Amino acid sequence: MLTHEITKNMTVAPYDFRLTKLDAFSGASLLRILYQFLPAEQGEASDAELLQKLFTSLPDDTLHPLMRKCLSHAEVKLPAGYIRVLDHDCWGLPELEYMAPLCLRLTAEACLWTLEGFFPGSGSPSGSAKRPSSP
């Protein structure tokens, strides 16, 4: 039986987060977005550069659902335990609603974490994700 890591922990000061990979349908949708909006010639661009190109080229009607999906797969650690960053339209920690750079970073990390291994050399810039292993 093949086992895969589907969660990873990361810290973006002062918060600790837990990300869960997007499900297969959402991951396929993410791939379609990537292929539609990333330039054909990517050269030797890093994952961070590709994500910057992606986020700056996405129209709002594509970016908003992508961020919502990714943020609903992110949890923030509070003293009582983890809660979702975004649960439907409710922010688990209200101040996160006004932290655009942090929310974009979580979205980017969720995208990279979900698609890790699909593209050669891909992977999260935080480096905390474990590679899938078999028993």
Side-chain angles (χ1 to χ4, degrees):
M1 180 167 119
L2 186 63
T3 60
H4 296 279
E5 295 290 329
I6 62 166
T7 61
K8 80 169 200 170
N9 296 323
M10 63 178 282
T11 300
V12 181
Y15 304 105
D16 291 322
F17 295 96
R18 180 171 57 199
L19 299 177
T20 302
K21 284 188 177 188
L22 301 179
D23 61 78
F25 297 109
S26 299
S29 178
L30 174 59
L31 273 174
R32 291 177 66 197
I33 290 169
L34 287 173
Y35 284 126
Q36 184 177 3
F37 291 101
L38 278 179
E41 282 299 316
Q42 298 169 14
E44 294 294 319
S46 69
D47 290 341
E49 291 168 328
L50 290 176
L51 280 172
Q52 180 181 4
K53 289 178 184 179
L54 175 65
F55 285 127
T56 57
S57 65
L58 287 177
D60 286 344
D61 64 345
T62 303
L63 179 62
H64 290 178
L66 175 64
M67 287 184 71
R68 286 184 181 281
K69 176 61 81 173
C70 290
L71 293 175
S72 72
H73 282 74
E75 298 171 304
V76 60
K77 187 175 183 182
L78 299 178
Y82 285 98
I83 62 166
R84 281 190 181 176
V85 168
L86 188 63
D87 193 359
H88 300 287
D89 286 330
C90 297
W91 292 87
L93 192 59
E95 57 263 29
L96 295 179
E97 180 177 5
Y98 304 100
M99 300 174 109
L102 184 132
C103 290
L104 283 168
R105 170 127 186 242
L106 288 173
T107 300
E109 290 281 346
C111 290
L112 290 170
W113 173 230
T114 295
L115 298 177
E116 183 181 49
F118 188 82
F119 298 106
S122 71
S124 169
S126 70
S128 60
K130 292 180 183 176
R131 296 268 179 216
S133 61
S134 58

